[in-house]
Amino acid sequence: MSAPDLSETPRRGDLRARIGWLCHGLRLAVCVWAAWTLALILWLWRSRDAVAASYGGWWRLDLSALPDSHYVAGLALVLVDWAFVAALCVMLWRMFGLYLDGQVFSRAATDAMRRVGLVALAAILFDFLARPAVSWLLTMHLPAGAQRLNLFARPEDLLHLLFAGFVLALAHVFRAAAEIAEDNAGIV
């Protein structure tokens, strides 16, 4: 049995009036976030020399001899990392679309929320592992002792993990609410 269909009820209109602006605003924010992060990546990685200057400055290393192949491999890894951002944005877009359709406490919406949490966790973990890989790729041409394998965590990493965990927990709570709603709809 599926959740009650709110597509043609006054309740759907009321729900949409209350959360529609929020869902549309969040969908817009998701698109801005994806575009902004991609623009920052493309600006930083616009050339081998720009990457060598930026990362070399941060690490206080001379990366001017950075081979093109290492630059391309680093860029590819960073773009794969960004692909998780894009996937998360698609998942969020779909989830908010379900909400706009009045399916807040449906199995489809809770499944979408669970996917958002799982993709967010995957994105966080991949990003955490990509950082040392990028540092190694950009410094592997240097003599031994100057090469870097920078494994580090930032305070916002914990915040992102907490957010993903919260979304997963909320998905489980919403799933229980959807099942209760289905049971109640079957009784009436």
Side-chain angles (χ1 to χ4, degrees), residues 14 18 25 41 47 51 56 61 65 68 85 89 98 101 111 146 154 165-166 172 181 183 185 187:
D14 182 45
R18 286 188 287 158
I41 289 167
S47 71
V51 168
L61 293 172
D68 287 338
V85 169
C89 291
L98 290 168
D101 287 341
D111 289 345
R154 299 178 299 222
F166 174 76
H172 286 292
D183 288 345
I187 294 170

Side-chain angles (χ1 to χ4, degrees), residues 57-186:
W58 294 330
W59 298 330
R60 294 188 177 111
L61 293 172
D62 180 11
L63 298 180
S64 59
L66 176 67
D68 287 338
S69 60
H70 297 181
Y71 161 73
V72 170
L75 175 58
L77 188 58
V78 169
L79 290 175
V80 169
D81 197 12
W82 179 83
F84 280 97
V85 169
L88 184 57
C89 291
V90 168
M91 299 294 170
L92 285 164
W93 183 275
R94 290 178 180 168
M95 184 182 75
F96 291 124
L98 290 168
Y99 293 170
L100 286 169
D101 287 341
Q103 298 182 47
V104 176
F105 291 110
S106 69
R107 286 184 189 256
T110 60
D111 289 345
M113 184 180 286
R114 186 177 59 77
R115 282 190 298 274
V116 165
L118 291 173
V119 170
L121 276 177
I124 294 161
L125 293 175
F126 187 85
D127 184 62
F128 184 73
L129 296 174
R131 293 175 205 160
V134 168
S135 65
W136 180 74
L137 282 168
L138 297 182
T139 61
M140 64 188 278
H141 69 284
L142 297 175
Q147 296 172 343
R148 299 286 172 107
L149 189 63
N150 294 334
L151 181 62
F152 63 93
R154 299 178 299 222
E156 60 267 20
D157 292 332
L158 180 57
L159 177 64
H160 296 156
L161 283 172
L162 290 170
F163 168 75
F166 174 76
V167 170
L168 283 171
L170 198 57
H172 286 292
V173 170
F174 277 25
R175 179 65 171 217
E179 290 169 356
I180 290 169
E182 287 177 5
D183 288 345
N184 288 342

Side-chain angles (χ1 to χ4, degrees), residues 21-62:
W21 65 272
L22 182 61
C23 291
H24 288 299
L26 289 169
R27 279 177 141 190
L28 176 63
V30 160
C31 293
V32 169
W33 177 52
W36 189 358
T37 57
L38 182 60
L40 289 173
I41 289 167
L42 294 177
W43 181 80
L44 177 62
W45 288 80
R46 66 191 175 275
S47 71
R48 187 194 63 77
D49 292 335
V51 168
S54 293
Y55 282 91
W58 294 330
W59 298 330
R60 294 188 177 111
L61 293 172
D62 180 11

